[in-house]
Amino acid sequence: MTIPTQLVLRALLEDPTREMYGLEICRAAGLAPGTIHPILARFEGIGWLESRFEDVEPREAGRPRRRYYRLTPHGAENARNTLLRTSARWMTLVARSRMADGA
């Protein structure tokens, strides 16, 4: 799992029931919009996320409609488990690297 993907999941898991629009997720994850949208699309495709467009008239709002994303209960559970496994693998690699270096 890539670092940007992990950052997106961590941002969404801060409050898994909260809807966030794309730029909010970008800010929370510290990533550019071009980076997060393919990740969001992938997670929506596998059922980890659900999305909706806000019900606003863009001309009246003075901006494009926002697309809001939220983890599904299934997605939140899988995201937590995946991040835990990823962390465990990372810690194992760090420990092995230190052992190999004689630390």
Side-chain angles (χ1 to χ4, degrees):
M1 177 176 290
T2 66
I3 299 295
T5 300
Q6 292 175 50
L7 293 170
V8 168
L9 287 178
R10 289 181 193 286
L12 291 166
L13 282 169
E14 286 180 20
D15 184 353
T17 61
R18 179 175 168 238
E19 289 184 317
M20 296 174 73
Y21 62 94
L23 287 178
E24 285 180 304
I25 299 168
C26 289
R27 287 185 200 113
L31 298 168
T35 303
I36 70 150
H37 284 91
I39 294 167
L40 296 172
R42 186 171 58 248
F43 284 132
E44 189 170 17
I46 61 172
W48 287 22
L49 282 179
E50 55 191 13
S51 71
R52 68 170 182 87
F53 282 100
E54 70 180 335
D55 189 23
V56 64
E57 178 57 45
R59 285 189 183 165
E60 291 175 16
R63 59 170 173 76
R65 288 186 312 160
R66 292 177 177 157
R67 187 171 184 173
Y68 285 88
Y69 299 88
R70 181 177 57 203
L71 286 165
T72 62
H74 169 76
E77 180 181 342
N78 281 316
R80 282 187 202 97
N81 291 336
T82 299
L83 289 173
L84 284 172
R85 283 193 310 274
T86 301
S87 273
R89 277 190 225 123
W90 174 251
M91 295 306 291
T92 300
L93 289 173
V94 168
R96 286 182 184 164
S97 174
R98 288 184 179 160
M99 288 173 40
D101 291 340

